[in-house]
Amino acid sequence: MRVLHVAAECHPLVKTGGLADVVGALPQAIAELGADVRLLLPGLPQIADALQEREDLYTLGPLFGAGRITLCRGLVPSQSVPLYMIDAPYLYRRRGGPYQDQDGTEWSDNLQRFALLGWIAAHVAAGELDPTWAADVVHAHDWHAGLACAYLKAQPGTRAKTVFTVHNLAFQGLFPAAEFGALGLPREMLQSQALEYHGKLSFLKAGLAYADRITTVSPTYATEIATHEFGCGMDGVIRHRGADVFGILNGVDPSVWNPQTDAHLPAHFSARSPAGKKRCKQALQSEMGLAEEPDAPLFALVSRLTHQKGVDLLLAALPALLERGAQFAVLGAGDPGLEELLSGASRARPKRMAVRIGYDEALAHRLIAGSDAVLVPSRFEPCGLTQLYGLRYGTLPVVRKTGGLADTVVDAVDSAAADVGTGFVFDGAAGPELEAAVLRAMRFYREPERWRSLMRRAMAQDFSWHEAARRTLTLYDALLGVPREALAPHKPSPALA
Ligand code: ADP
């Protein structure tokens, strides 16, 4: 089976969030199960510069205002699957982020940049750009790759089946409807049951409308996005797709997130030999300028600083929690107002509250390893990866009961005498609810034996890419009519069991 994954970012080359972690791991995990998997990425500077054994396959004339476009194939370190890269310097080779410039403004030609990604995906899949390879399945990730599903649909005689994964329904790739003509798609695709969305056009909707199957990154989020509360205006489309929508939980890449081998840490540890975690905590307190108190409960937040992530809940709960002796270490970037409020709180209590604004992969690892607990108070969370990393590092998650957080963390208090708990779960998106959950965590923390038993259970959880890959492959099989096992319902998650 030949599978083409299409995405805009891929860890460790380009990463703005969990999407990159998934794209960096899932295709490889599927390849390990025997599929012939390839990855298609835009030629962003970090990707183009990392490409090795480059082979130019096809040069295209001007498309989407791109000037010279070359499709090439090669390999990048840390990825075992071959990479197709679209070398289109005019569209992709520029300073700034994958979607925004250095000031955080969306690139004005994102329509062209990601239309090209979708267009090339459809033509690679059809075997037109690499004469040695065509795809049976095209697996497109998030709105950036959504148009691949529309171009394939519009292509006469398309063989490849399509899967579209929603990593976050809130990011919809909206553009003025007047620009539809630039896409070169049939006129009827601008209808309301296709790309049209409240007078605009949406690349996300192209994936939702035209993919043969839709997946999202946790079973609970798959249910939530069919509701008005979580559907971001797309719930009607999701409901319409009914049984075509599946939730497949993300995993953790043990070559990147493993407390026994993590190269970013000052010391290593495991559930059996936890001493290194104490050293990580001491080093983190020192690095962040926090009071070096080994017994102060230290809570981490590693997150985009946005409304979605519930950062305001933390700000509301902070005064009371600082008063009760908690320490906080925050790493994140995003909404300037939230950045300033967090920084202000840190300036007021520097020994108890440390804040680093920015994106720092190595520090993220040290925060997850050195803290006692990690906060994920999101309003909605498609899967969430930081709580999974926390579990693996014995850093107990304090999470809101939503999306993938509800699927992966079991509340330590609701479960009889902490027999099955792996963290602390709260319901409402409100500061007092987070505050109560953190205070519960602090009560557990004061009973070291109880805390250690929670840590051991958390570290024993297995959220592997192997399981996600197996489920994804089963979905491909069903699409292609390969008679293997039917897609069984997701094994009840510990949180729902
Ligand atoms: P989302 O994709 O919505 O941002 P996820 O929890 O799925 O949230 O994934 C976030 C990923 O980005 C995790 O790997 C997390 O460690 C990382 N991350 C978030 N903010 C930062 C930051 N400021 N510096 C380093 N890594 C970060």
Side-chain angles (χ1 to χ4, degrees), residues 265-410:
L265 307 187
H268 292 137
F269 56 92
S270 65
R272 275 214 201 130
S273 137
K277 186 163 173 76
K278 286 206 171 80
R279 289 195 22 226
C280 289
K281 178 171 178 179
Q282 188 267 324
L284 180 65
Q285 285 173 321
S286 161
E287 176 179 1
M288 301 292 279
L290 292 164
E292 290 181 40
E293 298 166 5
D295 296 330
L298 172 53
F299 294 83
L301 179 80
V302 179
S303 180
R304 290 186 289 115
L305 301 177
T306 62
H307 185 70
Q308 177 205 333
K309 298 291 182 179
V311 179
D312 52 315
L313 275 57
L314 172 61
L315 284 162
L318 207 49
L321 295 173
L322 288 170
E323 216 39 59
R324 299 289 283 271
Q327 288 189 347
F328 293 90
V330 175
L331 168 64
D335 180 333
L338 292 171
E339 289 180 356
E340 183 42 38
L341 286 167
L342 286 165
S343 302
S346 165
R347 283 193 296 273
R349 301 287 299 271
K351 291 285 168 199
R352 307 223 74 80
M353 164 95 183
V355 174
R356 297 286 180 275
I357 300 299
Y359 190 90
D360 185 335
E361 184 85 17
L363 181 57
H365 283 246
R366 292 197 293 277
L367 274 171
I368 297 286
S371 302
D372 297 300
V374 58
L375 304 174
V376 196
S378 307
R379 287 195 161 72
F380 68 92
E381 194 56 75
C383 177
L385 291 170
T386 39
Q387 87 281 10
L388 299 183
Y389 303 149
L391 289 168
R392 229 183 133 82
Y393 283 61
T395 305
L396 301 182
V398 180
V399 305
R400 212 186 134 232
K401 190 171 191 161
T402 183
L405 302 173
D407 288 337
T408 54
V409 183
V410 184

Side-chain angles (χ1 to χ4, degrees), residues 62 149 200 276 399 466:
C149 305
K200 297 193 165 171
V399 305
H466 176 81

